[in-house]
């Protein structure tokens, strides 16, 4: 069995027995895939007590937990895990049965091909323009940890109910895939005949986002890349998270959040 769900942001409570009773019939060869913003590799230097508790809780489940990365991950820590081969693709094993599916990899799960590609641009950032500590600029919300005005800026942001992130502490440039990662993903798809049973990502193709947001969700380099994949790959279903809603966008494409959907 393969199930898919959306962002958990470090709190996998929806996978409790009460909320997800299907797990009673599952085993280690069954999978729950989280579509990004896993959030249990996020503390600054090492696993926090909360992370240890939840990761061990997941490890004790009957099933195997898989996830693609979102935009809210500590990529310094995540990418420091050893790279291993698993079910045909490259992974980071956070625990033996809690596994990060790396970008642009194809996996064989229960005889189904699953193409994984994490990452997304953060949309929940306000900030300051570079020429004034008081002028709001919604494109300049990444603060530097060595900025002498850091705490003053954070104080102003809290007062004005705005959100900023600190590079290397709560935001990482690696949230957005590199050109090399995108090239690798396309090479993987070509090696598999431009076919996949399922595509799992954190953000979605530009055309699906245009439908989802009614034209309010601007495309970026990653969503445009996904659009190229959508137009050129023969796939059965595509699931992505990031937008905190459950909605079937097209017959093939769905954004997922709280739902836990069986796909095989």
């Amino acid at each position: 069995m393969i199930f898919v769900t959306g962002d958990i942001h470090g709190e996998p409570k929806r996978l409790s027995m009460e909320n997800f009773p299907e797990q009673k019939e599952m085993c280690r060869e069954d999978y729950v895939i989280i579509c990004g913003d896993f959030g249990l590799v996020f503390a600054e230097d090492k696993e926090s007590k909360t992370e240890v508790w939840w990761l061990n809780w997941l490890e004790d489940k009957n099933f195997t937990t898989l996830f693609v990365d979102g935009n809210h991950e500590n990529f310094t820590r995540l990418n420091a895990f050893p790279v291993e081969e698993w079910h045909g693709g490259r992974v980071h094993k956070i625990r033996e049965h809690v596994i990060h599916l790396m970008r642009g990899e194809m996996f064989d799960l229960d005889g189904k091909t699953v193409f994984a590609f994490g990452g997304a641009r953060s949309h929940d950032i306000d900030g300051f323009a570079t020429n004034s500590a008081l002028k709001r600029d919604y494109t300049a919300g990444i603060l530097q940890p060595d900025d002498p005005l850091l705490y003053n800026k954070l104080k102003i942001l809290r007062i004005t109910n705005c959100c900023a992130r600190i590079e290397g502490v709560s935001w990482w440039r690696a949230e957005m895939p590199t050109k090399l990662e995108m090239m690798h993903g396309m090479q993987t798809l070509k090696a598999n005949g431009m076919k996949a049973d399922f595509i799992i990502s954190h953000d979605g193709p530009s055309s699906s986002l245009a439908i989802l947001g009614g034209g309010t969700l601007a495309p970026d380099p990653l969503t445009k890349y996904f659009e190229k994949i959508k137009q050129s790959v023969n796939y059965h279903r595509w699931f992505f998270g990031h937008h905190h809603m459950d909605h079937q966008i097209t017959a093939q494409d769905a954004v997922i959040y709280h739902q836990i959907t069986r796909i095989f």
Side-chain angles (χ1 to χ4, degrees):
M1 291 184 277
I2 305 174
F3 289 82
V4 175
T5 191
D7 311 8
I8 62 169
H9 292 283
E11 294 186 353
K13 292 182 288 186
R14 81 182 64 144
L15 300 179
S16 68
M17 188 68 72
E18 179 181 4
N19 295 328
F20 182 41
E22 293 89 341
Q23 65 188 278
K24 294 178 183 178
E25 307 301 322
M26 298 174 73
C27 65
R28 290 298 194 185
E29 286 69 45
D30 296 317
Y31 308 98
V32 174
I33 309 177
I34 297 167
C35 294
D37 282 354
F38 181 63
L40 284 170
V41 184
F42 195 81
E44 188 170 352
D45 298 318
K46 61 181 180 179
E47 290 180 1
S48 67
K49 291 182 180 179
T50 300
E51 288 178 350
V52 170
W53 196 94
W54 280 119
L55 288 168
N56 291 341
W57 184 81
L58 286 172
E59 179 64 16
D60 287 340
K61 291 292 184 181
N62 294 336
F63 54 84
T64 294
T65 301
L66 309 175
F67 69 96
V68 297
D69 51 274
N71 53 301
H72 297 313
E73 321 284 1
N74 183 333
F75 288 97
T76 302
R77 282 184 51 211
L78 184 61
N79 292 331
F81 281 89
V83 176
E84 301 183 36
E85 290 287 328
W86 182 84
H87 285 247
R90 298 181 305 152
V91 301
H92 296 122
K93 287 191 175 181
I94 315 305
R95 295 288 189 273
E96 185 62 27
H97 300 97
V98 180
I99 301 172
H100 171 227
L101 307 179
M102 294 179 66
R103 296 173 180 176
E105 298 294 313
M106 188 78 77
F107 300 90
D108 183 345
L109 304 179
D110 285 347
K112 297 295 182 180
T113 52
V114 177
F115 179 70
F117 205 107
R121 176 169 290 170
S122 292
H123 298 151
D124 55 348
I125 299 173
D126 305 329
F128 297 97
T130 56
N131 63 341
S132 171
L134 295 175
K135 183 180 178 181
R136 289 272 299 281
D137 179 351
Y138 289 92
T139 66
I142 306 302
L143 306 179
Q144 297 302 313
D146 58 354
D147 185 344
L149 297 177
L150 175 63
Y151 292 103
N152 290 333
K153 290 180 178 180
L154 288 173
K155 184 177 180 180
I156 294 171
L157 286 166
R158 291 191 196 100
I159 292 171
T160 54
N161 293 317
C162 296
C163 180
R165 297 192 181 275
I166 303 172
E167 184 164 6
V169 177
S170 56
W171 179 86
W172 288 262
R173 293 183 186 275
E175 67 171 29
M176 281 291 281
T178 64
K179 290 182 179 180
L180 285 176
E181 287 173 325
M182 293 182 187
M183 289 174 58
H184 171 68
M186 197 60 74
Q187 290 168 352
T188 297
L189 289 166
K190 289 178 180 178
N192 285 271
M194 300 300 283
K195 296 179 180 179
D197 291 309
F198 301 106
I199 297 177
I200 304 294
S201 60
H202 187 51
D203 210 349
S206 295
S207 61
S208 294
L209 297 185
I211 297 170
L212 182 67
T216 63
L217 297 174
D220 61 39
L222 180 57
T223 66
K224 292 177 181 178
Y225 170 73
F226 285 151
E227 184 64 26
K228 291 180 181 179
I229 290 175
K230 178 179 171 65
Q231 298 300 326
S232 58
V233 173
N234 181 2
Y235 67 94
H236 178 56
R237 299 288 304 278
W238 189 325
F239 294 90
F240 60 94
H242 195 35
H243 299 278
H244 291 195
M245 65 177 75
D246 295 290
H247 185 68
Q248 188 69 43
I249 303 169
T250 69
Q252 289 179 289
D253 303 347
V255 59
I256 192 166
Y257 187 29
H258 290 299
Q259 290 179 354
I260 307 172
T261 300
R262 182 174 179 179
I263 62 174
F264 179 69

